Amino acid sequence: MNLLSTIALFSSLPLIHAQYGNQAKSSATTAASSTTSTTSAASGIHTVDVGEDGLTFNPDSLTVSPGDKVEFHFYPPDHSVVQASFDNPCQPISSGGFFSGFFQTSQESKTVFTVTVNNTDPIWLYCGVQGHCQAGMVGVINPPSSGDTLDLFKAAAAKAKDSTVPANVFGGVVGTASSENTSSTATGTATATSTGSASKTSASTSTTTNAANTMRTAGDVGALALLGLFSWLMM
Ligand SMILES: *[C@@H]1O[C@H](CO)[C@@H](O)[C@H](O)[C@H]1NC(C)=O
Ligand SMILES: *[C@@H]1O[C@H](CO)[C@@H](O)[C@H](O)[C@H]1NC(C)=O
Ligand SMILES: [Cu+2]
């Protein structure tokens, strides 16, 4: 190894370190920004109380902007929210949609179900507890300006034979209410129990670990080069 190539190798080391340093920083930023996006949308959060006043969604009709979130707060004893299609009131919509799971609770539930609304298409809702949909526990997000109405949906629901729900919770996040943000960073993702956010957390953890390992490797390369420089000087 000649002097020039040693210097070249040596002077490139800080670059290698900088590069891996940035990589580690960027994965940390990714993890941080996903938490921020959960909390920073506070202005676009709408609350719907589920079963607070009998078999109702309150409000049962609300208009929200694309990107807004709707938080369902559950009251005793047992309710849920499912997306239906207008034509089939007490059944899950056949593609897409969401299901909160059943919230069996003796007081307002600590956790809420949060759905992100992506567009202005109507989202028809019902409670999946047997009999509740038929009794009028239905609602709509972004009702159409003409044609289908909540009253028509409710009338059809009253005649529905039975209710069914999807096999699994999906289409939203089970987590802490935005109003319970005692610390701004802990909101939303911290106590979310949905499998989705759990796997997201472990994914970003492993990214960080990989970056740390890479940095350790970069450190070893640096030590080797230093050894090389010394042995060249000894010659
Ligand atoms: C909005 O889009 C996200 C991401 O594709 C999806 O997970 C979610 O279910 C959608 N929301 C609704 C209400 O369909
Ligand atoms: C969230 O926390 C901030 C600061 O701690 C507070 O001002 C705000 O009112 C809280 N948001 C809600 C919806 O309670
Ligand atoms: Cu119900």
Side-chain angles (χ1 to χ4, degrees):
M1 196 184 277
N2 63 29
L3 178 59
L4 247 137
S5 65
T6 308
I7 290 172
L9 172 64
F10 206 69
S11 57
S12 70
L13 282 172
L15 285 177
I16 294 171
H17 278 278
Q19 188 187 334
Y20 286 112
N22 284 343
Q23 188 178 321
K25 205 183 295 169
S26 80
S27 65
T29 311
T30 309
S33 68
S34 64
T35 308
T36 312
S37 69
T38 313
T39 47
S40 66
S43 59
I45 296 180
H46 309 260
T47 297
V48 173
D49 293 314
V50 184
E52 186 181 19
D53 187 23
L55 300 182
T56 58
F57 289 97
N58 185 19
D60 61 0
S61 177
L62 65 162
T63 299
V64 315
S65 303
D68 281 7
K69 294 177 196 302
V70 177
E71 256 183 30
F72 294 93
H73 293 236
F74 296 89
Y75 288 80
D78 182 14
H79 298 288
S80 69
V81 62
V82 195
Q83 183 174 348
S85 62
F86 179 81
D87 296 327
N88 210 354
C90 306
Q91 304 296 323
I93 195 168
S94 54
S95 91
F98 50 81
F99 172 45
S100 66
F102 294 105
F103 281 70
Q104 288 169 316
T105 179
S106 57
Q107 55 188 342
E108 181 185 356
S109 68
K110 293 262 189 297
T111 51
V112 300
F113 185 67
T114 304
V115 168
T116 301
V117 176
N118 300 312
N119 50 47
T120 56
D121 295 346
I123 296 174
W124 302 93
L125 319 164
Y126 66 100
C127 173
V129 173
Q130 212 55 255
H132 290 197
C133 177
Q134 291 78 0
M137 196 164 182
V138 295
V140 62
I141 298 169
N142 292 334
S145 50
S146 63
D148 302 344
T149 66
L150 183 57
D151 283 344
L152 288 171
F153 187 63
K154 206 174 276 190
K159 291 185 210 139
K161 270 211 182 70
D162 59 1
S163 306
T164 60
V165 298
N168 299 300
V169 173
F170 78 102
V173 174
V174 178
T176 311
S178 63
S179 58
E180 289 170 18
N181 61 337
T182 46
S183 102
S184 57
T185 47
T187 309
T189 50
T191 52
T193 55
S194 83
T195 48
S197 73
S199 63
K200 205 182 290 166
T201 307
S202 62
S204 69
T205 307
S206 71
T207 311
T208 310
T209 312
N210 286 344
N213 284 341
T214 319
M215 279 162 71
R216 222 169 291 140
T217 311
D220 292 345
V221 172
L224 267 176
L226 212 62
L227 218 81
L229 178 66
F230 273 127
S231 45
W232 178 83
L233 284 172
M234 299 307 239
M235 286 187 335

